[in-house]
Amino acid sequence: APLPGIHQAQSNHLNMVNDVTQTQTCCLKKFADQFVLFDNWSGEGQIGAFRSTGNSSNTGVSAGLNLERRGIDWRHKLTALADYQRTNGVTTREQFLFAYEPNYQLNDRLFIYGLGQYERDRFQGFSSRISASGGLGYRVIDTDSTQLSVKAGPAYRRTSFLNGASTSDIAALAALDFDWRVSDTIKVTQDASAFVQSGNSTYISTTGLEAGLGGSLSARIAYAVEHDTNPPAGAVKTDTLTRFTLITFLIGSITEQEYDVAFEVLIIRK
């Protein structure tokens, strides 16, 4: 028969193994639970940069991220954009945007939306502009090749200017989102939005064309126009941005996300 001391040591060893196993199981469960947060997320990310020297010195960077999570009734959208440029040692563009939009599906076409958005654009005269909106949306067209949705609702906007002043306004938001896959390799997109309010209204339009080049490589050209009816003193009313983008699509097997990495040539006109 085993000696009492040996039996006690074996018992302690088994308890220690059980404790380690339980700890490992708990840690693995927590690790797995974190990935559940990424279930059903899809999207694209893009980053580009340029530099030129000679008669003028230009350095710029542009980055963007679009993520979407689809559930049975809920859809969540995250958007982040950043554009930065320096010319001859002087910053000539500095624009940042972050937006979160949850949607709740009422039926196959009608949905309720919410929107929280933050912007910063020193060259449009404001250090921050915070917008919040909620209302109704409708999917006018929803087929495999074509999607068109519209939405509208009341909005609240708070703008902080570079001179330290700030304004708070009640506005109305109207927007549309159009995607048309012309063929297996050609896609046309159109996004437009309007914040209408007393004082300064904002209208934004972005038109894009995407063409597959073979394999996982495609090219995209997009033209964006932003118009403020009454911008701060020293800022122009209309700002435009043209992007030519080469895109490589990668698919993550764990998070089931779709990314694109973009190398951009930016043409900025004001």
Side-chain angles (χ1 to χ4, degrees):
L3 296 176
I6 296 177
H7 179 77
Q8 183 64 37
Q10 290 176 339
S11 178
N12 292 339
H13 178 71
L14 289 175
N15 290 335
M16 183 182 299
V17 171
N18 290 333
D19 290 342
V20 171
T21 303
Q22 291 176 0
T23 301
Q24 291 176 337
T25 303
C26 181
C27 292
L28 289 173
K29 185 178 183 301
K30 290 181 179 180
F31 183 74
D33 288 344
Q34 291 178 357
F35 281 104
V36 173
L37 297 175
F38 297 99
D39 283 351
N40 302 320
W41 282 94
S42 64
E44 62 181 30
Q46 54 184 317
I47 184 170
F50 65 90
R51 176 170 174 77
S52 65
T53 59
N55 294 323
S56 63
S57 177
N58 296 280
T59 303
V61 63
S62 179
L65 179 67
N66 293 285
L67 294 177
E68 182 176 294
R69 186 182 191 276
R70 291 173 178 263
I72 298 176
D73 296 319
W74 284 94
R75 176 184 298 181
H76 302 269
K77 296 180 182 179
L78 288 173
T79 302
L81 294 171
D83 288 302
Y84 180 82
Q85 182 181 12
R86 288 180 67 85
T87 302
N88 296 325
V90 179
T91 301
T92 54
R93 187 175 186 86
E94 187 180 83
Q95 186 176 29
F96 305 97
L97 179 144
F98 179 81
Y100 168 62
E101 180 181 336
N103 292 347
Y104 181 78
Q105 198 77 20
L106 296 177
N107 55 43
D108 291 342
R109 294 186 179 271
L110 189 65
F111 61 90
I112 300 173
Y113 80 89
L115 174 66
Q117 180 172 291
Y118 168 84
E119 301 170 81
R120 175 182 172 86
D121 191 342
R122 294 195 304 112
F123 294 91
Q124 284 297 96
F126 59 88
S127 57
S128 69
R129 183 161 63 192
I130 299 173
S131 306
S133 178
L136 288 176
Y138 187 76
R139 292 184 176 84
V140 182
I141 304 174
D142 190 7
T143 65
D144 292 339
S145 61
T146 307
Q147 297 86 40
L148 171 62
S149 64
V150 296
K151 64 185 179 185
Y156 170 82
R157 303 180 89 193
R158 179 176 176 80
T159 305
S160 299
F161 299 99
L162 297 177
N163 60 9
S166 63
T167 60
S168 298
D169 300 281
I170 300 299
L173 170 64
L176 69 84
D177 183 353
F178 175 72
D179 296 319
W180 176 31
R181 185 164 292 281
V182 183
S183 66
D184 292 339
T185 58
I186 303 294
K187 182 180 179 181
V188 176
T189 63
Q190 175 64 54
D191 297 311
S193 65
F195 280 96
V196 181
Q197 65 187 60
S198 61
N200 180 38
S201 298
T202 302
Y203 303 90
I204 301 175
S205 173
T206 303
T207 304
L209 175 64
E210 185 176 318
L213 301 179
S216 61
L217 187 66
S218 62
R220 177 189 296 159
I221 185 170
Y223 181 72
V225 180
E226 181 174 347
H227 179 77
D228 286 290
T229 58
N230 186 26
V236 298
K237 289 187 175 181
T238 303
D239 196 10
T240 68
L241 174 63
T242 301
R243 287 188 178 97
F244 175 77
T245 309
L246 293 178
I247 307 167
T248 301
F249 292 94
L250 302 174
I251 300 176
S253 60
I254 296 178
T255 61
E256 298 182 354
Q257 294 183 35
E258 182 182 73
Y259 301 93
D260 66 27
V261 179
F263 303 91
E264 300 183 343
V265 177
L266 301 183
I267 304 171
I268 300 175
R269 301 186 182 93
K270 292 187 177 182

